[in-house]
Amino acid sequence: MHLDPEPLAITASDAEILEALADIDTPPLLAAVATLTGDLSLLRDDLRPSAAESFDPTAGISPEQAATARQLATDALARYRDSGCVAAAPPSAPSVRTMLEFLAGTPVADDYIELMTEELAIDGVDRRAPEWNHATVAPDRDFRVAIIGAGMSGIATAHRLAQAGVPYVILEKNADVGGTWLENQYPGCRVDVPNHFYSYSFAQTSEWPQYFSTQGVLLEYFRACAEEFDICPHVQFETEVVDATWSDAEQVWNITVRRADGTTDTVVAHVLVSAVGQLNRPKMPDIPGVDRFAGEAFHSARWDATVDLAGKRVAIIGTGASAAQFIPAVAEIADELRVFQRTPPWLLETPNYHDDLPVGTRWLLDHVPSFAHWDRVWIFWRSHEVLVPMAAVDESWESTQSVSMMNDLVRQMFTEYYRVQFPDAELFDKVLPHYPPFSKRFVRDNGIWARTFTRDNVELDVGKIGEITERGVKMADGTEHEFDVLIFGTGFQASSFLTPMTVHGAGGKDLHATWDGEARAYLGLTIPEFPNLFLMYGPNTNIVINGSIIYFSELEARYIVESVRMLLEHGVDSMAVRAEVHDEYNRRVDAANARMAWGAASVNTWYKNANGRITQNWPFSLLEFWQRTRHPDPKDYVLR
Ligand SMILES: Cc1cc2nc3c(=O)[nH]c(=O)nc-3n(C[C@H](O)[C@H](O)[C@H](O)COP(=O)(O)OP(=O)(O)OC[C@H]3O[C@@H](n4cnc5c(N)ncnc54)[C@H](O)[C@@H]3O)c2cc1C
């Protein structure tokens, strides 16, 4: 996979160009063609999307407007072709603003313009790259960073540290990079955010084969990034961190690692970055007898491809995000499949979820690669920020099925989709959620959920499981079902941050005892009395509305590298967030989460820990995370 490939020269006829553009969303199309040709007159007022139509796939653009826009784009590309395919110079800042405001359909505040310009990365400038270097800031200071984990977050931070000339090592328990996208090899595994957004802003490619690529393609992408940024030579593979202890005397982290051969060793670093992910340790359900089953049994994140499901009686426990992806695949292979559902997912209608990019879109991306950048910002703008109000709780709204009038309208709209998909009343009752939409991440659906559960070999069981036996599953009412294979789609130990390793901070303070099941951090990143420790994808940095976690990791990486800069520039050994700053921030987060759909008392989700606190989610806008993580404020920290 190539990062930011050059545009191919256009040789297609006018009619072929127009045909290629037939299915393309016109706002990012016009912005991309304007970028390539330098012709901003394409961004006509009468072709703007409607800022108010955020949930409408057409964004308020009528078929006539779309036809006009595609004709304009075709004419501009034909002129570009006829004048020798000479690309215009990268757009100036005012031009980028014009284009972004066209895309948003509304004037955009300065902050957003800056943020989206970073996301867009249209002119080859990596605006999030550090603007400093170890060699100039503190050339004589010996300084090393250790990163735990070579997944998406670890790779992002490693790249930024390398850009700043800061030596680093990555300690990775697996034999390869990729984290989630290496470990989750279950059939059907793919992203639920289009790849033009689920990718690094600093490593864009127009070569995604599908809108929502599969696990193998994601792994290929992260491997390509690791290679491009020369990261692998810095990774100690098959090296698991079992303990990290801060030395007050030496002002360093002593990190105990276990190698593949079982031996242990110590790695010393001035700064420790945990990039271990929230979704890395599989969770088994709390059902009596969970280890008793005598047949083949495995968790989706440890998929056992040696088990042939053909001709077998298979049970799947769980219908969460991963299970929703592999249930349809298993249904096609197994002789009999019984799915045990506790809570049904809200389905988000996504007709192109499994589709290859249409030939026309492929053509556009090959000849106008900046379309990938504009599509990224288009998705960014429409997939999260404008949806946040729909998840906000209206205190006066009395329902357990929705949290506000706007949220209820979404519920009704989504329920209609279920009515169309599930005409059978009994199945409809089983699959329709009774909790507010936006309480959990939506599961994308192109109709496959209904096709799966109407198969003759598939049964959806919504009864309560009593126990797992040697032969299968015994329900609470005493009914027993026998199986050959048992698959757990029961998610991850998401609220057990940084486990099973142990971490000791200043004065030997034990992190897990400090948290006592209530993981908290300032901005998800730093913890009082744990100097020079930074968490990525840490507490309260997950998002429910289908935005991209990569966005958060990129911003966390910037904060970490700017923190290293602060340590070096201030000539101090360590920084630890002030307890009052951390506590006040967490109070705000808790209060805000309680006012969101996922915090509603009626909702049972993996975002809540054993005490019902939301330890996972970010309750504010994407803009706010960007604003708060641009650089550390020395006043927030005790510097030593
Ligand atoms: C199946 C699945 C699908 C997802 N789909 C989406 C999506 O569509 N959109 C989205 O925005 N997000 C999605 N996510 C969430 C998130 O984007 C991914 O989990 C992402 O990979 C997180 O990257 P990470 O580097 O933070 O963590 P991970 O990818 O989990 O990587 C963590 C790394 O740390 C290593 N590690 C852990 N503990 C240790 C240790 N003690 N010592 C050494 N190494 C260690 C692991 O081996 C792993 O390589 C998905 C998650 C899952 C599980």
Side-chain angles (χ1 to χ4, degrees):
M1 189 175 277
H2 302 92
L3 304 179
D4 261 330
E6 288 295 315
L8 299 182
I10 296 179
T11 54
S13 68
D14 292 18
E16 286 166 337
I17 298 174
L18 187 61
E19 192 187 339
L21 306 184
D23 293 324
I24 312 285
D25 281 353
T26 56
L29 170 66
L30 290 176
V33 175
T35 303
L36 183 71
T37 61
D39 182 0
L40 263 64
S41 71
L42 298 172
L43 311 177
R44 284 180 10 190
D45 270 346
D46 61 323
L47 301 177
R48 279 177 195 272
S50 156
E53 313 274 347
S54 51
F55 230 64
D56 178 350
T58 68
I61 293 171
S62 68
E64 295 72 33
Q65 286 171 306
T68 306
R70 292 189 182 111
Q71 189 60 56
L72 273 181
T74 300
D75 295 346
L77 290 175
R79 286 194 297 276
Y80 162 81
R81 175 200 61 206
D82 296 343
S83 55
C85 295
V86 182
S92 63
S95 300
V96 167
R97 179 175 206 120
T98 303
M99 291 166 163
L100 286 170
E101 293 191 331
F102 172 79
L103 208 68
T106 179
V108 178
D110 288 352
D111 268 8
Y112 264 124
I113 291 286
E114 208 176 331
L115 161 56
M116 293 210 285
T117 305
E118 282 180 13
E119 280 293 313
L120 184 65
I122 198 73
D123 50 7
V125 180
D126 176 4
R127 289 183 170 72
R128 291 187 185 143
E131 292 172 342
W132 62 279
N133 199 280
H134 182 209
T136 46
V137 169
D140 302 327
R141 182 143 164 212
D142 172 35
F143 202 90
R144 282 180 310 283
V145 177
I147 302 168
I148 315 173
M152 172 275 288
S153 303
I155 292 172
T157 301
H159 174 48
R160 293 307 190 201
L161 287 168
Q163 287 177 314
V166 178
Y168 70 88
V169 60
I170 302 187
L171 308 165
E172 169 55 61
K173 69 176 164 54
N174 291 334
D176 198 352
V177 301
T180 286
W181 304 108
L182 173 70
E183 292 186 4
N184 288 270
Q185 306 221 352
Y186 59 79
C189 181
R190 64 175 70 232
V191 273
D192 68 6
V193 179
N195 276 120
H196 288 160
F197 190 28
Y198 193 83
S199 49
Y200 297 123
S201 66
F202 55 84
Q204 286 290 286
T205 176
S206 51
E207 295 185 352
W208 297 106
Q210 299 188 317
Y211 299 103
F212 302 90
S213 295
T214 52
Q215 169 266 332
V217 177
L218 266 294
L219 181 56
E220 194 192 321
Y221 172 74
F222 287 111
R223 280 183 180 146
C225 291
E227 189 169 321
E228 172 82 12
F229 304 126
D230 197 30
I231 282 167
C232 290
H234 302 265
V235 187
Q236 297 183 15
F237 288 110
E238 299 186 291
T239 298
E240 177 165 8
V241 172
V242 292
D243 176 76
T245 296
W246 175 252
S247 163
D248 290 317
E250 307 289 332
Q251 297 279 291
V252 292
W253 282 97
N254 291 310
I255 305 150
T256 309
V257 296
R258 186 168 46 224
R259 310 280 185 197
D261 61 6
T263 57
T264 57
D265 205 349
T266 303
V267 174
V268 179
H270 300 90
V271 159
L272 177 62
V273 177
S274 162
V276 300
Q278 282 191 15
L279 309 175
N280 190 253
R281 305 279 171 175
K283 179 178 165 199
M284 296 301 275
D286 189 14
I287 301 175
V290 73
D291 296 326
R292 211 184 295 152
F293 184 62
E296 305 282 0
F298 51 86
H299 185 279
S300 60
R302 301 288 179 268
W303 196 266
D304 188 345
T306 64
V307 177
D308 183 3
L309 300 176
K312 301 273 169 55
R313 297 165 305 170
V314 180
I316 294 176
I317 298 185
T319 52
S322 293
Q325 293 184 331
F326 66 76
I327 286 170
V330 173
E332 286 187 10
I333 308 168
D335 193 29
E336 290 172 27
L337 170 63
R338 194 172 195 91
V339 175
F340 294 93
Q341 171 185 277
R342 192 174 60 177
T343 317
W346 272 114
L347 302 176
L348 176 62
E349 182 180 2
T350 310
N352 62 7
Y353 189 32
H354 292 171
D355 293 355
D356 287 343
L357 287 186
V359 176
T361 311
R362 192 60 281 142
W363 181 90
L364 179 66
L365 286 162
D366 286 344
H367 297 85
V368 189
S370 72
F371 179 72
H373 295 244
W374 285 106
D375 196 35
R376 174 187 183 81
V377 178
W378 175 238
I379 299 161
F380 170 89
W381 186 253
R382 287 167 54 80
S383 72
H384 189 277
E385 297 300 69
V386 291
L387 303 184
V388 174
M390 297 179 193
V393 173
D394 172 354
E395 303 288 346
S396 64
W397 188 256
E398 287 181 11
S399 168
T400 53
Q401 301 209 31
S402 54
V403 294
S404 69
M405 185 192 287
M406 219 198 293
N407 185 261
D408 201 63
L409 288 174
V410 175
R411 187 188 64 77
Q412 291 174 33
M413 196 173 98
F414 278 39
T415 303
E416 266 323 296
Y417 180 65
Y418 283 73
R419 275 191 221 292
V420 173
Q421 291 286 316
F422 302 94
D424 176 88
E426 196 186 332
L427 189 53
F428 175 82
D429 282 346
K430 285 183 182 177
V431 294
L432 184 72
H434 292 287
Y435 55 87
F438 292 106
S439 320
K440 302 181 186 211
R441 217 167 154 98
F442 292 117
V443 163
R444 290 194 182 269
D445 180 59
N446 58 2
I448 203 164
W449 203 236
R451 287 199 294 281
T452 299
F453 287 107
T454 46
R455 291 176 68 109
D456 290 342
N457 67 331
V458 179
E459 193 62 42
L460 180 61
D461 195 325
V462 296
K464 185 169 166 33
I465 296 177
E467 61 178 311
I468 291 173
T469 67
E470 284 194 349
R471 291 191 303 277
V473 175
K474 192 166 180 181
M475 308 305 287
D477 67 7
T479 325
E480 195 165 355
H481 304 284
E482 293 190 9
F483 301 105
D484 305 308
V485 183
L486 194 49
I487 304 174
F488 294 99
T490 42
F492 299 88
Q493 301 172 39
S495 56
S496 302
F497 289 87
L498 272 73
T499 55
M501 72 176 88
T502 49
V503 183
H504 296 92
K509 194 167 184 165
D510 182 317
L511 179 64
H512 295 302
T514 306
W515 275 345
D516 193 21
E518 296 276 350
R520 293 168 196 272
Y522 176 55
L523 302 173
L525 278 153
T526 53
I527 309 160
E529 297 181 74
F530 287 82
N532 295 6
L533 171 66
F534 298 88
L535 316 185
M536 302 191 74
Y537 202 4
N540 298 108
T541 59
N542 187 57
I543 36 175
V544 184
I545 299 167
N546 295 43
S548 166
I549 300 300
I550 296 184
Y551 172 80
F552 281 77
S553 293
E554 276 196 37
L555 300 183
E556 289 154 10
R558 169 157 70 185
Y559 189 90
I560 293 166
V561 174
E562 289 305 302
S563 296
V564 170
R565 175 190 198 165
M566 185 166 83
L567 289 169
L568 296 177
E569 280 186 347
H570 284 67
V572 293
D573 286 333
S574 68
M575 55 186 285
V577 65
R578 293 181 185 281
E580 63 276 17
V581 172
H582 167 274
D583 294 352
E584 175 52 31
Y585 165 82
N586 274 281
R587 269 192 291 278
R588 242 193 103 224
V589 166
D590 286 352
N593 266 325
R595 291 193 302 268
M596 301 306 280
W598 50 84
S602 59
V603 178
N604 175 20
T605 73
W606 63 271
Y607 309 128
K608 289 180 179 169
N609 69 4
N611 299 331
R613 175 177 182 262
I614 301 283
T615 47
Q616 260 76 31
N617 297 336
W618 173 253
F620 308 115
S621 65
L622 294 182
L623 179 70
E624 180 162 345
F625 196 72
W626 177 83
Q627 286 166 328
R628 299 192 66 135
T629 53
R630 299 186 73 181
H631 46 75
D633 183 345
K635 291 197 294 302
D636 291 343
Y637 286 88
V638 180
L639 303 178
R640 284 195 212 288

